Amino acid sequence: MGIKGGGIGVIYGSAIIRHNIIENNYARGQGAGIYCGTLDIEISNNIIRNNICSGGYNIGWGGGIYCGGGMIFNNLIYGNEAGGYPTDEFGEGGGIFVSPADPSSFAHIYNNTIVGNYSQRYNSNGNGGGIYIPGDNYHYDTVIVENNIIAFNTGKKRKRWGDV
């Protein structure tokens, strides 16, 4: 269990993450399945499932993948969770949280199946059950999302045992 990258964490440099099953990982902040702080990344032909990102510094960003850019294609991304811990103010990107933070960076998300993921905040609905792309002054809108199957994801707070 780490704060970033419960399954795989890439902080610097470049990486190709291909032909893996990445499942049942936990991170206390960002990218339970995969965390990529680098911009030169390829994530392809993986199964990324049942990862939980919650409870770190009041955030749960990217249950399946958290990345700052690169190419994400031909993956099956399902059953991942972002947020929900009792203090999580931000639960965003159950399947993918993509945040290009450099004007020269980009992200291209294509030919993926992104299903059955969810994001939630402790006291309200989360954002982007399937994919979340921040749209504020700190992030650049250099993200292309095309030719994906995105279905049955939710940003709705779900009930847990003991909730009334």
Side-chain angles (χ1 to χ4, degrees):
M1 171 181 64
I3 293 172
K4 296 178 179 178
I8 297 173
V10 180
I11 307 299
Y12 302 106
S14 62
I16 296 173
I17 301 170
R18 188 184 296 157
H19 300 292
N20 301 285
I21 297 174
I22 302 163
E23 66 181 343
N24 300 325
N25 297 292
Y26 179 81
R28 289 183 36 229
Q30 300 166 333
I34 301 172
Y35 172 87
C36 297
T38 182
L39 304 176
D40 188 12
I41 191 86
E42 175 191 309
I43 301 170
S44 64
N45 300 295
N46 299 288
I47 297 171
I48 302 165
R49 63 182 176 209
N50 301 327
N51 299 289
I52 300 171
C53 185
S54 179
Y57 305 105
N58 296 325
I59 62 170
W61 289 346
I65 300 170
Y66 176 99
C67 72
M71 297 176 46
I72 301 171
F73 61 95
N74 296 339
N75 298 286
L76 173 58
I77 303 167
Y78 73 92
N80 300 289
E81 305 177 13
Y85 188 77
T87 60
D88 286 345
E89 293 177 28
F90 302 101
E92 297 166 334
I96 301 172
F97 183 106
V98 60
S99 178
D102 179 309
S104 65
S105 70
F106 75 97
H108 192 180
I109 302 169
Y110 62 98
N111 295 344
N112 298 286
T113 300
I114 304 167
V115 296
N117 302 286
Y118 86 93
S119 62
Q120 72 174 17
R121 298 176 182 196
Y122 179 65
N123 288 319
S124 65
N125 296 335
N127 295 313
I131 301 173
Y132 182 74
I133 304 165
D136 57 33
N137 293 334
Y138 301 105
H139 302 89
Y140 298 89
D141 294 328
T142 52
V143 179
I144 299 169
V145 178
E146 64 182 348
N147 203 34
N148 297 283
I149 297 171
I150 304 170
F152 309 111
N153 301 288
T154 183
K156 186 174 182 181
K157 182 180 184 314
R158 85 176 174 174
K159 288 195 169 208
R160 296 186 179 227
W161 292 103
D163 284 353
V164 258

